[in-house]
Amino acid sequence: MTQTLRTPALDPKLARIIADFPILARPTSRGKRLVYLDSAATSQKPRAVIQALVDYYEQYNANIHRGVYEIAERATAEFEAARGKLARFINADMHEIIWVRNATEAINLVAYTWGSTNLRAGDAILLTELEHHSDLVPWQALAQRTGAQLRFIPADERGVLVLDDLDALLDGCKLVAIGHVSNTLGTIAPLDAVIPRAHAAGAVVVVDGAQGAPHLRVDVKALDADFYAFSGHKMLGPTGIGVLYGKRALLQAMPPFDYGGDMIHRVEYRDATFAEPPWKFEAGTSNIADAIAFGVATDYLENVGMDWIREHERALTAYAFERLSEFEPRGLAIYGPRDPAATSGVISFNFADVHPHDLASILDTEGVCIRAGHHCTMPLMNKMGWSATARASFYLYNSEADVDALAAGLEKASKVFKV
Ligand code: 7TS
């Protein structure tokens, strides 16, 4: 068995990271250590992020972009500084960072504004068979509104995208929407191959980065993505805050999404002109505290190092493949690419004929949190012929001890369900 240094006992950096997350020190109601293997659903929060929320409400709670008094000016400055941090995090310009509620809202914003203005009956929208419902249903609705046609880049039986027919799929295509990382199988999409070919065919590319930005170093300029959508809560930030990155020229040409206060330039009774991007897309009072805390989350990630996080998750995934393979003779099936370099900290599996929900319940009695179900990818589950899968997902605060706890939980399930 490969032993790396991915345990808090042996790696002082990992021990310090784990100590930064108060929830990980809190035992479950059964007195077990919390083994959190569901970061693809949402991540845990370090003390610094929680403290940023408290600081805003205790020290400078005020609305932004209007007050001229001290705490209002501080709130505005911290809110816009957080926008700058998010821009640096993905190598964008701060005018290209729009605050939204989550990745889902970011994708809907593009579908309603860019999509409704630029798509016509007969145009094609190209997606992949791996997409989360949030990067599928908004495009279905857009296709129904405009008469555009949906096409899909196929995935093979291990969940790897097959690009053989890409040129034909791109013919007549105006928009490509593609997940950076599959939340069900962990597959990393070949963006470097898809984006230039999509542009050559005249399509705009929207990347669903909900599972990409938390785990991989993202450089939107190097990727040349036109839009990149992601959520704060999956990357150590609070819920209710996310980002839509869009290239400036595209944002300038797009109509607003919501209308109201704060997004206007000048208003008369019968007409209005709008602010420049990004403010044009931020109607009403923003989620100020959560945006500021999201900025602090990116400080935390930068401080740990995205390369360190990638390598840590790669090593944990390799170790998890090894531990899970011990159960293969008893009917455990691992889905998705069996290669830690091709995935990003997500493993989907089934254990013989045990329903994933029953498995998750047994693991819960041991303090181990995994997700079971269709993971908001119902068409992919149907295509693969799975009614549900169990899914373990890793982040920077997980250790080999967590993988061992998962294996011990599977051993218990094996006895309970006699497999
Ligand atoms: N896109 C992908 C690839 C996702 O994994 C998710 C959430 C979303 C979009 C939507 O993110 P939201 O923040 O707007 O809700 N994925 C999951 C998951 O895998 N388990 O729970 C939520």
Side-chain angles (χ1 to χ4, degrees):
M1 194 178 295
T2 321
Q3 277 295 333
T4 64
L5 288 176
R6 304 288 158 183
T7 72
L10 297 173
D11 183 340
K13 177 164 177 171
L14 179 56
R16 278 196 300 277
I17 291 170
I18 293 170
D20 284 336
F21 290 78
I23 203 169
L24 299 178
R26 202 179 157 271
T28 68
S29 64
R30 292 186 179 83
K32 304 284 181 184
R33 183 171 75 81
L34 183 71
V35 177
Y36 188 73
L37 297 178
D38 198 17
S39 293
T42 198
S43 69
Q44 297 303 342
K45 321 301 171 200
R47 201 171 279 106
V49 168
I50 301 166
Q51 192 58 45
L53 296 170
V54 173
D55 286 349
Y56 169 75
Y57 288 115
E58 286 190 351
Q59 294 178 28
Y60 60 100
N61 175 51
N63 212 329
I64 51 169
H65 300 152
R66 53 201 91 193
V68 290
Y69 45 89
E70 185 183 306
I71 58 171
E73 283 180 349
R74 177 163 175 212
T76 302
E78 301 260 4
F79 177 81
E80 293 301 338
R83 193 192 304 277
K85 288 179 186 182
L86 264 296
R88 276 196 299 284
F89 190 72
I90 59 166
N91 193 28
D93 180 280
M94 73 172 277
H95 296 99
E96 298 171 319
I97 300 291
I98 300 167
W99 295 119
V100 289
R101 279 186 298 143
N102 45 39
T104 304
E105 188 175 50
I107 294 165
N108 276 283
L109 193 158
V110 180
Y112 273 101
T113 59
W114 193 92
S116 298
T117 326
N118 290 284
L119 283 188
R120 303 273 167 277
D123 290 338
I125 300 171
L126 180 60
L127 311 174
T128 86
E129 288 183 338
L130 298 177
E131 297 318 300
H132 184 279
H133 296 166
S134 291
D135 197 35
L136 170 60
V137 184
W139 306 118
Q140 292 174 347
L142 176 64
Q144 281 159 16
R145 283 199 302 279
T146 58
Q149 169 204 24
L150 295 180
R151 295 179 189 160
F152 296 88
I153 300 177
D156 69 13
E157 71 289 347
R158 294 233 64 103
V160 176
L161 294 175
V162 180
L163 303 184
D164 298 353
D165 296 327
L166 187 59
D167 289 332
L169 288 167
L170 283 169
D171 188 29
C173 179
K174 285 272 178 64
L175 184 140
V176 176
I178 179 167
H180 197 166
V181 171
S182 157
N183 67 310
T184 299
L185 298 172
T187 326
I188 300 172
L191 296 182
D192 291 349
V194 172
I195 294 177
R197 285 168 71 181
H199 285 158
V204 156
V205 181
V206 184
V207 179
D208 171 1
Q211 302 289 351
H215 303 280
L216 305 170
R217 183 173 289 291
V218 175
D219 179 334
V220 287
K221 290 207 173 73
L223 276 178
D224 202 19
D226 298 293
F227 298 99
Y228 193 96
F230 55 110
S231 293
H233 71 93
K234 291 189 200 286
M235 44 195 294
L236 312 186
T239 52
I241 189 76
V243 161
L244 172 67
Y245 157 81
K247 282 184 184 162
R248 195 168 184 172
L250 289 169
L251 296 180
Q252 264 160 344
M254 277 154 55
F257 184 28
D258 287 330
Y259 294 81
D262 219 26
M263 51 76 70
I264 45 78
H265 173 57
R266 186 185 162 83
V267 182
E268 293 174 36
Y269 274 117
R270 294 186 191 285
D271 206 3
T273 54
F274 306 118
E276 284 294 302
W279 301 285
K280 175 167 91 175
F281 299 100
E282 295 178 0
T285 298
S286 290
N287 189 350
I288 304 164
D290 292 315
I292 294 167
F294 190 4
V296 172
T298 63
D299 289 340
Y300 190 94
L301 291 169
E302 292 284 17
N303 200 23
V304 170
M306 292 308 289
D307 295 337
W308 186 92
I309 292 172
R310 173 77 184 129
E311 175 49 26
H312 180 68
E313 292 174 359
R314 199 204 52 73
L316 280 184
T317 307
Y319 184 60
F321 280 143
E322 230 176 271
R323 295 299 325 262
L324 289 179
S325 68
E326 293 166 24
F327 297 88
E328 283 176 312
R330 280 175 267 173
L332 187 133
I334 299 175
Y335 307 126
R338 191 97 174 233
D339 171 6
T343 63
S344 175
V346 173
I347 302 182
S348 257
F349 58 96
N350 265 315
F351 194 9
D353 55 2
V354 180
H355 193 281
H357 282 128
D358 295 333
L359 186 61
S361 297
I362 292 287
L363 291 171
D364 176 52
T365 63
E366 297 298 308
V368 179
C369 313
I370 63 159
R371 182 166 172 195
H374 55 64
H375 317 294
C376 297
T377 53
M378 281 167 93
L380 175 66
M381 306 301 278
N382 289 337
K383 173 192 157 82
M384 297 292 194
W386 312 320
S387 57
T389 74
R391 181 189 71 182
S393 52
F394 306 114
Y395 210 5
L396 70 170
Y397 38 66
N398 289 120
S399 69
E400 284 181 359
D402 296 342
V403 177
D404 290 339
L406 172 65
L410 291 174
E411 208 52 76
K412 182 174 176 185
S414 168
K415 290 201 179 71
V416 172
F417 297 107
K418 301 189 177 29
V419 286

